[in-house]
Amino acid sequence: MGENLPRVPGGAQLHSDTLHGPVRTLRVKMVILGSSGVGKSSLALRFVRDEFKNPSPTVGCAYLTRVVHLSDVTLRFEIWDTAGQEKYHSVTPLYYRGAHAALVVYDISKRETFVRAQVWLKELEKQYIPGSTVMCLVGNKGDLDQERQISVQEGQALASDRSLFFTETSVLSGDQISELLLGIAHRVYECIGGQQGGLSEWKETPLIDLHHRDTFTPFASCCKVGP
Amino acid sequence: MKLLTFGPIALCLYVCPLRCVSLPSVAVMDGEAQRAAVSWENGTLAPVDRLRSERADSPTPGLVEGTEPGAGQKSAMFVHAQSFEDLTAETEEVAQRDAELDKSEGECTDELKVLVGEKTIEEQRNSISSETRSKEEDVSSEAWRSHRKHVFVLSEAGKPIYTRYGTEEALSSTMGVMMALVSFVEAEKNIIRSIHADGCKVVFLTKSPLVLVGVSRTCQSDKELLRELQYIYYQIVSLLTLTQLNHIFQHKQNYDLRRLLAGSEYLTDNLLHRLDRDPGLLLSAVTCLPLASSSRDVVSSSLQAAKAKNLVFSILLAGDRLVTLVRKKDQFLHHIDLHLVFNLVGSSSSFREGEGWTPICLPKFNTAGFFHAHISYLEPASELCLILVSTDREDFFNMSDCKQRFLERLSKRSAYQALKEALKCPSYSVAQVGIPELRHFLYKSKSSGLYTSPEFPAVYQSDEEQERLMGLYQDLHSCLHHPTRPLRSFYRCGETENLLAWVTSGFELYLCFSPLATKALAVSAVNKLLKWIRKEEDRLFILSPLTY
Ligand SMILES: Nc1nc2c(ncn2[C@@H]2O[C@H](COP(=O)(O)OP(=O)(O)O)[C@@H](O)[C@H]2O)c(=O)[nH]1
Ligand SMILES: [Mg+2]
């Protein structure tokens, strides 16, 4: 299995958290949703550490960060990896409220996770303010092609219906992971980053009361971007 | 009847009228134990019932609560007043009263609305539970029947919720029979307590809306088995809150609770495993990482300084050992709640990646609402896990900031290095005590709710041997805490070891000697051991717990 990220095509590059460019750093809130077992935690771990290991079930929610350098800006992804279990559903809105990016993940080898993904999309749409969230449908476990229950076309069709991003990934092999993260980074920056007040700036030691509260409040109307 | 599969049944049905608390008849202690039991009431070690105002340097067994080795100097950290008895007594009213006072109630009902509204979304159950657990065991097989201890949880409608072995589906008719038994006895205004059959005990615990059933081939007493069922009950409550449980079953009596517990069964599995092995669960106490008190005090005060408005408890763990605990003034953590936290943290590696944030109900504190716990390791590969418990579910960043401040403060101090050094030897050898015949012991200070115990010696290296020794301690514990005829001390000679147990108002002590040791030697060993513990208490216990 491929433990290393494939080289990223194009100008932008992914760097580890330790590098800091002279450019400004903006905070991006990203939430990962989907049934349990589809690979959300594995995906988050790939994003932040480019590792794959068998994780134990997520308890509640896990918070991880990953810095992505684009040509003229640095984005600090604050990733909320949720547990897909039903008992946590009542608290999940905390995490997708005000998110700049939302990934809805399903397992291409399990139809019920695809059905569940549609429920998540509906729920997100209830909260959705057009232009404030980049949404992405992710069909994971692409390596399990021979056990596939959801065709690429079917996934693609669902995404196009709702004008979402769509990609199939394999967290196990690392396929399409960095492309996904970079794609989201570009899209978030284009759609939301330019807006006044769209993305807040990240400081080394942010003042909690001034900065952190806004992560949980839904987007103010000034952040809207046309579709 | 299905229940017959547990062995020839119905030798005697212990039932008792609703209003009566004690059992009509008890047959617990086996003959051998009775013969070996020796009363010390008139011996040299008889407890002296007078209060000491000062901490003695060479403690005598007459120490009363608050002056025994390991007793905290200021105030205790835990609610522990009755410890073991506390577990089996009904304390629900207290919890309910707390619940009414607690302002987080509004939040809880808020969460309930969402939950009930959601019930229809996904009627078909996620199949992960049966997948991720290797429980595909044939429930009609001899192997399944011969497990030492079965635990079943069912709803009052007789729906299976949890089984330790096998799958709930395969056992639905068995659980139906169990519920029928409970209801049958209830119809006569009685409560079924236990069934004693040939080599097998069936114990019932009705905690509306749940019914818990334990089937054991061990020689544990009913009371011990009930204690374990209580833990399982609290584990389930800690995931869902009692309010939510009641609400669900009021709305839909035959609700399948496995939907909500899906993906968390491993917590109950692990708790049952701990109940067989962890002396802390037996003693209703926790143990500490041995650490010089000067270092521990620095860690505690660093934690104390990193406070926040809604922060109620800050807990620093090293594996299963407590490093320190800081609490809000007047708020006490119950050892059961702490064990549930230990179980949660110890059962999942998910907190190793990033920071965890999860709702958790601490049922001994409040069965009605959720706290929100920030769980993270101080360093990626470190054993040190910090748990910050807040009342506010939107407090993640505040808690994250508290952790950061704590870490910054601590890493500037040499105590952090000392703490990391201490992690390298989290236990100690019994040889340090200097009593050659002494193999192992458990010592609990009642007033602090903390215990200490050396590592297992060479003779108890295998898992089986360790569990066997734990089983022996459990027997002794049963005798000391017998519901009608509790013993204060108990000496027991066996082929493989000699055991001594002793309880005073200040401490509980269990010692394991080589089979060659004599009773006289055991008695003198107690004094020597108590002196040693007094000498080491700074290191082994948390003597000055802090509040914010
Ligand atoms: N074959 C395959 N397995 C994967 C992939 N991603 C995750 N898994 C496995 O799926 C299981 C569930 O993963 P996890 O990340 O815990 O899922 P989560 O519940 O959505 O967080 C684990 O055993 C992973 O190893 C993948 O791309 N391919
Ligand atoms: Mg997960």
Side-chain angles (χ1 to χ4, degrees):
Chain A
M1 88 183 88
E3 282 293 313
N4 293 315
L5 269 182
R7 273 296 94 207
V8 182
Q13 281 204 333
L14 299 172
H15 290 288
S16 74
D17 220 342
T18 48
L19 289 176
H20 292 288
V23 290
R24 357 178 250 156
T25 300
L26 300 178
R27 301 170 69 202
V28 177
K29 178 178 177 182
M30 178 158 91
V31 63
I32 308 180
L33 301 165
S35 307
S36 39
V38 296
K40 297 182 296 299
S41 302
S42 308
L43 181 64
L45 194 59
R46 264 282 183 223
F47 281 159
V48 304
R49 239 180 283 152
D50 194 21
E51 279 175 11
F52 182 82
K53 56 182 176 194
N54 253 341
S56 48
T58 309
V59 177
C61 200
Y63 174 85
L64 308 97
T65 58
R66 165 69 201 256
V67 172
V68 175
H69 299 282
L70 301 181
S71 45
D72 56 346
V73 72
T74 297
L75 298 183
R76 183 176 191 266
F77 276 91
E78 303 182 345
I79 303 169
W80 291 95
D81 165 30
T82 62
Q85 299 161 14
E86 193 172 327
K87 67 170 168 294
Y88 295 121
H89 285 185
S90 54
V91 287
T92 313
L94 281 182
Y95 308 112
Y96 60 68
R97 231 188 290 143
H100 307 109
L103 305 188
V104 176
V105 187
Y106 65 91
D107 174 348
I108 64 153
S109 69
K110 287 217 175 71
R111 177 155 294 275
E112 70 266 20
T113 67
F114 187 64
V115 174
R116 186 68 206 160
Q118 297 171 40
V119 178
W120 277 119
L121 288 173
K122 280 211 194 79
E123 199 161 327
L124 279 175
E125 277 161 12
K126 276 191 260 163
Q127 305 267 336
Y128 181 65
I129 301 161
S132 69
T133 311
V134 171
M135 285 209 266
C136 186
L137 182 65
V138 179
N140 187 38
K141 308 203 186 178
D143 53 288
L144 300 178
D145 200 42
Q146 66 286 4
E147 291 158 50
R148 182 187 282 279
Q149 292 185 357
I150 310 296
S151 68
V152 182
Q153 291 77 7
E154 201 176 341
Q156 183 73 64
L158 175 66
S160 327
D161 277 357
R162 295 158 195 257
S163 39
L164 314 172
F165 264 125
F166 174 71
T167 183
E168 277 197 1
T169 56
S170 168
V171 178
L172 187 141
S173 72
D175 189 30
Q176 298 299 315
I177 303 295
S178 52
E179 288 82 351
L180 172 61
L181 187 57
L182 260 185
I184 293 167
H186 279 296
R187 200 44 190 264
V188 165
Y189 186 53
E190 276 162 30
C191 296
I192 307 163
Q195 297 296 304
Q196 190 61 44
L199 296 175
S200 62
E201 196 152 341
W202 184 72
K203 309 246 165 47
E204 193 72 53
T205 46
L207 297 166
I208 323 119
D209 288 334
L210 295 179
H211 270 268
H212 283 151
R213 299 304 306 188
D214 63 3
T215 331
F216 279 115
T217 52
F219 257 99
S221 53
C222 64
C223 321
K224 284 185 189 174
V225 187
Chain B
M1 243 209 292
K2 251 289 167 34
L3 214 60
L4 279 172
T5 54
F6 295 123
I9 208 174
L11 296 187
C12 44
L13 255 169
Y14 286 107
V15 296
C16 85
L18 262 174
R19 261 172 235 99
C20 168
V21 184
S22 63
L23 289 167
S25 68
V26 189
V28 177
M29 220 188 300
D30 60 314
E32 189 205 350
Q34 256 170 332
R35 255 179 283 121
V38 174
S39 167
W40 283 6
E41 289 317 312
N42 302 314
T44 48
L45 291 172
V48 184
D49 281 332
R50 68 189 156 83
L51 199 79
R52 298 232 169 174
S53 52
E54 278 171 24
R55 303 165 69 82
D57 283 332
S58 51
T60 65
L63 292 173
V64 293
E65 185 159 0
T67 61
E68 79 278 9
Q73 276 156 356
K74 289 172 194 157
S75 53
M77 281 181 294
F78 306 114
V79 186
H80 55 81
Q82 296 172 302
S83 59
F84 175 66
E85 281 64 28
D86 193 28
L87 245 176
T88 35
E90 283 301 323
T91 46
E92 297 300 304
E93 312 82 56
V94 184
Q96 295 296 352
R97 199 163 4 94
D98 287 349
E100 274 154 34
L101 296 174
D102 198 272
K103 64 180 189 311
S104 69
E105 256 221 316
E107 180 191 327
C108 178
T109 46
D110 188 37
E111 286 173 14
L112 279 176
K113 253 181 279 155
V114 186
L115 187 107
V116 172
E118 231 166 23
K119 267 198 277 192
T120 45
I121 292 180
E122 197 181 32
E123 273 304 333
Q124 102 257 44
R125 209 168 83 80
N126 212 329
S127 58
I128 52 157
S129 68
S130 34
E131 254 175 38
T132 50
R133 303 159 83 198
S134 51
K135 294 177 53 168
E136 303 296 332
E137 212 178 311
D138 181 3
V139 300
S140 58
S141 68
E142 200 46 51
W144 183 83
R145 265 184 242 174
S146 58
H147 283 298
R148 278 174 71 244
K149 207 182 289 169
H150 280 274
V151 172
F152 308 94
V153 183
L154 41 146
S155 72
E156 282 174 322
K159 270 220 171 191
I161 293 170
Y162 172 83
T163 173
R164 185 179 193 179
Y165 302 108
T167 62
E168 290 84 11
E169 288 84 355
L171 290 164
S172 57
S173 57
T174 308
M175 297 215 203
V177 172
M178 290 174 184
M179 195 57 228
L181 264 174
V182 172
S183 314
F184 176 75
V185 177
E186 244 169 35
E188 304 285 302
K189 296 263 173 297
N190 275 324
I191 296 174
I192 188 164
R193 289 289 175 85
S194 62
I195 301 171
H196 292 202
D198 183 27
C200 178
K201 268 184 201 139
V202 186
V203 186
F204 295 84
L205 176 66
T206 316
K207 285 284 217 178
S208 180
L210 305 181
V211 175
L212 297 98
V213 183
V215 179
S216 168
R217 295 186 177 283
T218 66
C219 45
Q220 278 174 292
S221 67
D222 285 9
K223 199 177 173 190
E224 297 284 336
L225 292 167
L226 275 176
R227 176 180 63 87
E228 302 194 356
L229 292 181
Q230 292 265 9
Y231 265 107
I232 301 307
Y233 167 74
Y234 286 125
Q235 175 65 65
I236 293 173
V237 171
S238 104
L239 290 165
L240 299 173
T241 74
L242 184 58
T243 311
Q244 185 165 293
L245 270 178
N246 284 330
H247 186 87
I248 288 166
F249 285 108
Q250 270 157 24
H251 279 73
K252 200 170 166 195
Q253 226 195 339
N254 64 346
Y255 183 83
D256 186 356
L257 197 66
R258 286 179 305 159
R259 273 178 53 189
L260 282 182
L261 294 175
S264 306
E265 302 89 344
Y266 71 99
L267 286 175
T268 312
D269 294 344
N270 284 348
L271 187 61
L272 281 166
H273 183 69
R274 275 167 191 262
L275 282 165
D276 286 338
R277 302 190 48 96
D278 187 343
L281 292 161
L282 175 71
L283 296 175
S284 306
V286 291
T287 192
C288 306
L289 177 80
L291 180 66
S293 62
S294 55
S295 302
R296 200 189 307 272
D297 290 345
V298 171
V299 178
S300 303
S301 62
S302 305
L303 207 50
Q304 183 191 38
K307 59 184 170 192
K309 186 166 134 262
N310 298 315
L311 184 59
V312 193
F313 300 111
S314 307
I315 306 159
L316 187 64
L317 297 185
D320 276 348
R321 290 163 184 276
L322 192 60
V323 178
T324 185
L325 186 157
V326 183
R327 58 181 177 81
K328 223 185 184 85
K329 223 172 165 206
D330 306 326
Q331 307 293 349
F332 292 90
L333 190 58
H334 195 281
H335 58 84
I336 294 181
D337 290 340
L338 192 54
H339 278 295
L340 293 175
V341 170
F342 279 35
N343 190 41
L344 181 77
V345 171
S347 301
S348 176
S349 65
S350 80
F351 308 113
R352 291 218 165 257
E353 326 297 347
E355 299 162 56
W357 181 239
T358 182
I360 180 173
C361 169
L362 300 176
K364 276 294 187 181
F365 192 91
N366 177 1
T367 54
F370 280 117
F371 282 107
H372 299 270
H374 181 280
I375 305 173
S376 64
Y377 285 83
L378 292 194
E379 287 173 35
S382 167
E383 277 297 288
L384 292 167
C385 182
L386 179 65
I387 300 132
L388 300 169
V389 181
S390 164
T391 53
D392 183 356
R393 66 182 190 177
E394 306 216 350
D395 234 6
F396 174 84
F397 286 105
N398 288 329
M399 292 303 108
S400 188
D401 181 63
C402 283
K403 178 202 170 176
Q404 227 42 56
R405 280 188 283 145
F406 165 63
L407 202 52
E408 263 161 40
R409 186 179 272 261
L410 183 63
S411 50
K412 283 187 214 128
R413 311 289 303 266
S414 60
Y416 192 35
Q417 213 43 51
L419 174 57
K420 287 185 188 170
E421 278 305 309
L423 289 175
K424 291 180 190 158
C425 42
S427 195
Y428 54 91
S429 150
V430 71
Q432 288 186 21
V433 184
I435 305 169
E437 294 79 6
L438 183 64
R439 286 182 174 175
H440 192 254
F441 66 88
L442 308 174
Y443 169 88
K444 173 190 169 182
S445 145
K446 283 190 174 177
S447 56
S448 66
L450 299 169
Y451 80 94
T452 186
S453 176
E455 63 203 10
F456 285 105
V459 270
Y460 302 102
Q461 272 317 309
S462 70
D463 276 2
E464 299 81 69
E465 277 298 297
Q466 289 177 7
E467 276 180 28
R468 191 178 66 78
L469 181 58
M470 275 304 298
L472 293 171
Y473 284 144
Q474 282 175 358
D475 282 355
L476 296 177
H477 186 269
S478 296
C479 298
L480 296 189
H481 296 272
H482 194 278
T484 51
R485 286 177 295 156
L487 297 175
R488 302 195 109 188
S489 60
F490 190 4
Y491 183 72
R492 185 174 180 173
C493 292
E495 268 174 25
T496 42
E497 56 273 292
N498 292 345
L499 296 157
L500 172 63
W502 189 28
V503 59
T504 71
S505 60
F507 62 81
E508 254 178 78
L509 185 55
Y510 301 84
L511 305 111
C512 169
F513 295 94
S514 92
L516 299 176
T518 60
K519 199 179 109 195
L521 185 138
V523 170
S524 70
V526 168
N527 283 316
K528 200 163 175 196
L529 176 61
L530 286 175
K531 266 185 207 154
W532 183 82
I533 296 174
R534 172 66 92 205
K535 186 163 70 67
E536 299 289 323
E537 67 177 347
D538 285 357
R539 210 166 56 82
L540 301 178
F541 294 92
I542 301 175
L543 297 181
S544 26
L546 296 179
T547 58
Y548 302 123

